[in-house]
Amino acid sequence: MEDWRHLLEGRLEDWTERVFGQGYHPEEAKAVSGGAQKLVYQIRCSNGFRFMLYVWDMRLNYFREELEQEEAPGPISGYGGKKFQTVNAYLRKLQVGTPELYHFEAGSRPEEADFAFVEYIDGKEASDFFQADPGIQDQVFGPLAEMLTRMHEQTCAEWGPLDEPPSRPATGCHWPMLTHACRQLEYLSAYRTEFRNHRQGFVHILKDYASKIVPRSSYSFIHAELGPNHVLVDERLRPWLIDIEGALFFDAEYEHSFMEFRFDNYGPYFKNGRLDPVRMAFYKLYHHISYSAGAHRLLQRGYPDAEAIKDILEYNSRRALRMLVEPAHE
């Protein structure tokens, strides 16, 4: 049994009773692995009730250096309890399956962590259903596709997060992503031979794609990191979206280009013929570069699941290099 008494500066028991009432006493806390930007615990109370504790503590964020640097880390940021609170309310209003937020508490000072008590979903990751019988897959991925459509049908003339007023230049959201991709290439070139040798080639193809993107007048609401590990499927085969903090109004192609290589069954359930193929190619290359850089940083900073991160680094590096050779076929 993991010692939980240190959580929330020793105040977990007090907060649990304050939120849920008398009779709710934490008895066990189990750390959930996988998060690089927040701490996640499954809490079991003495009466059998379970909930999730999310803690956003900048001091323990693996990407703290990038988030705190003077130059913005990029248009999409998945860090922050306030972002989670805002997106959670928005998705639940849309009747998109996401765990209920029982309580959110923002740190009263900049150095204090935000935390949230969130509904516990007893489920498996969506990837566990990739090889399921077709009927089971229909029950899982059909509703997930409907939720995704409902989200993407929400549009805004400005791109950006829900909790930030539009204050950026009236240019396409792909332009700052181009800048961000070039910064990631600069970082990778310092450590990885394949990126150092082909850096100019990557920059050329990214700029070529960006120059061909036709401006649009509205942007869709997207999850922004919708891999199968961010979809829980409960015992009734209902899908639930988690890790929602990065959701924002953006190009839908950003979402689809990511899902295309993360979901084995993307074609039958999520393929959308109305997407812009140039944006799809641009964002696909962006993802491979960005995830290569992110994985390398995690390895440098002692992320615990090193083997999984190495796999992510090698996979995305290979796919990025392949797009240099066969850009038209990616």
Side-chain angles (χ1 to χ4, degrees):
M1 182 181 300
E2 186 169 334
D3 186 10
W4 50 266
R5 291 170 182 80
H6 67 286
L7 296 176
L8 305 187
E9 299 180 345
R11 295 178 292 133
L12 176 61
E13 189 165 15
D14 293 341
W15 275 109
T16 301
E17 186 167 313
R18 188 185 305 185
V19 173
F20 299 116
Q22 294 183 349
Y24 290 83
H25 302 290
E27 195 169 75
E28 182 181 12
K30 183 188 300 182
V32 178
S33 62
Q37 299 210 62
K38 69 175 179 285
L39 304 176
V40 180
Y41 297 89
Q42 181 193 134
I43 309 296
R44 180 175 60 81
C45 295
S46 55
N47 61 2
F49 179 74
R50 296 174 188 264
F51 67 95
M52 305 302 292
L53 169 64
Y54 294 172
V55 181
W56 293 269
D57 188 337
M58 182 61 76
R59 294 166 296 182
L60 301 175
N61 189 316
Y62 281 93
F63 296 112
R64 176 181 179 177
E65 182 179 335
E66 286 71 39
L67 290 168
E68 290 185 337
Q69 65 186 6
E70 289 186 5
E71 190 174 13
I76 298 178
S77 173
Y79 177 76
K82 182 60 178 176
K83 288 178 181 290
F84 176 84
Q85 181 187 38
T86 303
V87 174
N88 181 274
Y90 187 75
L91 291 181
R92 290 182 68 83
K93 185 177 180 181
L94 293 177
Q95 297 184 314
V96 169
T98 196
E100 180 181 354
L101 173 60
Y102 297 131
H103 181 79
F104 170 69
E105 194 72 24
S108 58
R109 299 188 303 273
E111 66 273 15
E112 285 189 345
D114 298 344
F115 70 88
F117 287 7
V118 181
E119 180 183 7
Y120 166 67
I121 302 296
D122 186 7
K124 302 177 180 178
E125 292 185 359
S127 56
D128 289 344
F129 297 87
F130 285 163
Q131 305 303 320
D133 292 338
I136 298 294
Q137 289 199 50
D138 287 345
Q139 292 182 66
V140 172
F141 296 105
L144 178 59
E146 292 173 4
M147 289 197 304
L148 192 67
T149 298
R150 200 175 312 139
M151 288 173 58
H152 290 182
E153 285 176 347
Q154 313 307 309
T155 59
C156 182
E158 303 283 349
W159 60 268
L162 290 167
D163 62 346
E164 293 181 11
S167 60
R168 51 190 61 83
T171 59
C173 57
H174 61 286
W175 289 114
M177 302 306 277
L178 172 63
T179 301
H180 191 241
C182 290
R183 290 209 304 268
Q184 303 314 305
L185 285 169
E186 182 180 0
Y187 167 82
L188 285 165
S189 297
Y191 298 98
R192 303 278 295 188
T193 303
E194 66 270 39
F195 286 99
R196 183 162 56 250
N197 291 343
H198 297 284
R199 179 180 172 185
Q200 292 307 314
F202 281 123
V203 171
H204 174 77
I205 194 171
L206 283 165
K207 288 184 175 180
D208 184 57
Y209 283 141
S211 69
K212 294 175 181 176
I213 290 177
V214 178
R216 58 175 36 145
S217 59
S218 66
Y219 300 90
S220 297
F221 192 70
I222 68 170
H223 179 285
E225 199 179 3
L226 194 55
N229 58 320
H230 291 163
V231 180
L232 290 179
V233 181
D234 67 18
E235 60 183 8
R236 293 167 57 186
L237 301 181
R238 296 177 302 180
W240 300 81
L241 304 188
I242 60 172
D243 287 323
I244 57 175
E245 296 95 308
L248 76 168
F249 289 100
F250 213 71
D251 283 334
E253 290 83 359
Y254 184 90
E255 190 109 280
H256 279 273
S257 60
F258 184 64
M259 294 180 68
E260 192 174 41
F261 66 86
R262 293 298 312 278
F263 281 81
D264 290 357
N265 55 2
Y266 173 84
Y269 295 102
F270 306 110
K271 191 173 180 63
N272 185 337
R274 298 187 300 275
L275 298 170
D276 175 8
V278 179
R279 279 181 168 87
M280 285 290 287
F282 172 80
Y283 286 124
K284 192 167 197 175
L285 181 54
Y286 171 87
H287 287 309
H288 291 315
I289 292 169
S290 178
Y291 275 82
S292 296
H296 193 276
R297 286 187 172 96
L298 290 177
L299 289 174
Q300 281 192 320
R301 295 166 187 177
Y303 190 80
D305 195 356
E307 290 305 313
I309 299 302
K310 286 178 184 176
D311 290 343
I312 291 172
L313 174 57
E314 296 305 325
Y315 172 82
N316 283 283
S317 297
R318 288 196 306 269
R319 294 300 294 264
L321 288 167
R322 183 181 167 189
M323 289 190 71
L324 281 181
V325 179
E326 304 174 335
H329 301 292
E330 283 288 336

